[in-house]
Amino acid sequence: MASDAAAAAAAEPSSGDTHHPARYAIGYALAPKKQQSFIQPSLVSQAAARGMDLVPVDASRPLAEQGPFHLLIHKLYGDDWRAQLEAFAALHPAVSVVDPPHAIDRLHNRISMLQVVSELDHAADQDRTFGIPSQVVVYDAAALADSGFLAALRFPLIAKPVEVDSSAASHDLCLVYRPEGLRGLRAPLVLQEFVNHGGVIFKVYVVGGHVTCVKRRSLPDVSPEDDASAEGSVSFSQVSNLPTERTAEEYYGEKSLEDAVMPPAAFVNQIAGGLRRALGLQLFNFDMIRDVRAGDRYLVIDINYFPGYAKMPGYETVLTDFFWEMVHKDDDVAQEEKGSNHVSVK
């Protein structure tokens, strides 16, 4: 974990000091749980070897009084924190803040979160397509009893809270097998068709221009006949324990995760790049599934800001490279401008 000593060592180097290489301070403002998972000794040491010190931000002190920083990364929320970031950016316009709060806001709402996927160009790959599952937004719980309102959806459905924040309630999802299962659900919420996807989810991590796709276990494929609940719905934590015709162990035994075919890298990069530009974010991941009804159809079902990168293979190298690129981006721009002065037009 970075310390006050590291912060002192990361102070601006003297321009006349030719004996010690420049060091850069990467400030991080993260909740304690996030710090514990992300700021691993392996990341700290690898960044330090490149001349970058990871320095914790003290959330109890004004941000403007801390530093100096050459880059600031954060995952804190609230009006006070936003005001502090704005004040810091005004004082230090040359310091990159990753990422802008207004851009992160879009991922706090499951409606605006996936709407951005619909805004992308889907025509770049002729062999496969992507999109989002069919869904409706319910603002009034009374609409859940309106069969006409839900006519466009096919059961089973996934019910999700509209707002996404750090609370446990925002991740309180349930699988709804039939209309009766909608009783008691609280609005506002999103009802999204559950698409069978072979029990495999593709998690795509984006770190600036770097993209890593990994495959993970997901919920087993289901059908309305699998319903073993009198209420017609179950929480996600209960789904794997349902007494269906095939237990989860039997299901996964038939479908090896290693046998699941990864989507083509160029295709994944296309989606990731489009989302990065549309969202204006550098640090995020998205969850994608392959529709078993059409093997060339992929669906983005969730987008998360600043995810658990420590679960990504080789995350230390990827993040260290990203930090390096961010603290040197002005150098790159200056070099490009310098080079452009020597271009001759024929």
Side-chain angles (χ1 to χ4, degrees):
M1 194 72 70
S3 63
D4 291 338
E12 294 283 0
S14 169
S15 59
D17 189 350
T18 59
H19 299 289
H20 300 284
R23 297 198 68 81
Y24 301 91
I26 313 300
Y28 61 88
L30 305 171
K33 186 176 181 180
K34 189 68 176 179
Q35 286 190 36
Q36 186 176 14
S37 65
F38 182 72
I39 307 297
Q40 297 289 328
S42 54
L43 175 63
V44 173
S45 62
Q46 192 162 144
R50 295 278 294 276
M52 298 177 291
D53 299 299
L54 299 181
V55 183
V57 169
D58 185 349
S60 66
R61 294 173 49 210
L63 179 60
E65 297 178 2
Q66 302 180 61
F69 301 118
H70 299 88
L71 170 67
L72 183 64
I73 62 174
H74 69 99
K75 193 177 183 181
L76 296 178
Y77 303 115
D79 294 337
D80 178 66
W81 175 248
R82 185 183 292 250
Q84 292 213 45
L85 281 178
E86 292 174 351
F88 178 85
L91 284 173
H92 307 283
V95 178
S96 295
V97 175
V98 177
D99 277 293
H102 71 271
I104 301 172
D105 285 345
R106 191 164 189 176
L107 300 189
H108 290 167
N109 182 292
R110 285 194 167 93
I111 304 168
S112 59
M113 174 196 297
L114 294 186
Q115 178 60 35
V116 68
V117 180
S118 303
E119 298 169 1
L120 301 183
D121 179 9
H122 295 191
D125 192 304
Q126 297 180 348
D127 298 323
R128 51 196 60 83
T129 61
F130 67 93
I132 63 174
S134 298
Q135 62 181 28
V136 298
V137 183
V138 180
Y139 294 103
D140 184 351
L144 296 173
D146 183 351
S147 59
F149 178 73
L150 301 175
L153 299 179
R154 293 185 296 181
F155 286 84
L157 306 174
I158 300 176
K160 308 178 178 182
V162 170
E163 297 300 323
V164 182
D165 53 34
S166 57
S167 69
S170 68
H171 300 285
D172 185 13
L173 315 183
C174 68
L175 188 60
V176 183
Y177 288 94
R178 58 178 189 266
E180 296 92 310
L182 298 172
R183 296 171 185 165
L185 296 183
R186 291 182 297 179
L189 57 85
V190 175
L191 292 177
Q192 187 181 87
E193 284 189 5
F194 180 87
V195 177
N196 283 336
H197 51 282
V200 176
I201 191 168
F202 302 102
K203 302 190 79 69
V204 183
Y205 295 92
V206 179
V207 182
H210 179 90
V211 179
T212 296
C213 180
V214 299
K215 49 189 174 182
R216 296 285 186 265
R217 291 284 188 209
S218 182
L219 292 179
D221 291 347
V222 298
S223 68
E225 291 73 25
D226 288 334
D227 181 15
S229 166
E231 293 77 18
S233 66
V234 291
S235 70
F236 265 32
S237 62
Q238 295 173 304
V239 169
S240 60
N241 297 322
L242 287 179
T244 60
E245 292 183 3
R246 292 180 299 168
T247 66
E249 290 76 11
E250 291 172 337
Y251 177 87
Y252 287 127
E254 296 172 3
K255 297 177 178 292
S256 170
L257 182 63
E258 289 69 28
D259 294 337
V261 178
M262 295 285 284
F267 178 67
V268 173
N269 288 337
Q270 169 205 341
I271 302 174
L275 288 175
R276 180 188 176 201
R277 290 186 293 272
L279 292 169
L281 295 174
Q282 302 278 12
L283 301 176
F284 66 95
N285 82 337
F286 60 95
D287 294 339
M288 187 169 68
I289 59 176
R290 180 189 289 117
D291 189 345
V292 297
R293 297 170 300 182
D296 58 354
R297 175 72 171 168
Y298 292 81
L299 302 171
V300 176
I301 60 173
D302 200 13
I303 308 175
N304 306 286
Y305 181 66
F306 207 142
Y309 282 116
K311 299 178 182 177
M312 180 181 75
Y315 98 102
E316 300 94 339
T317 299
V318 174
L319 268 298
T320 297
D321 287 346
F322 172 71
F323 297 155
W324 183 262
E325 291 168 4
M326 293 302 293
V327 298
H328 288 89
K329 68 174 186 176
D330 289 338
D331 298 342
D332 295 338
V333 171
Q335 193 66 30
E336 289 178 5
E337 292 178 348
K338 182 179 178 181
S340 66
N341 294 331
H342 299 284
V343 176
S344 61
V345 179
K346 298 182 179 180

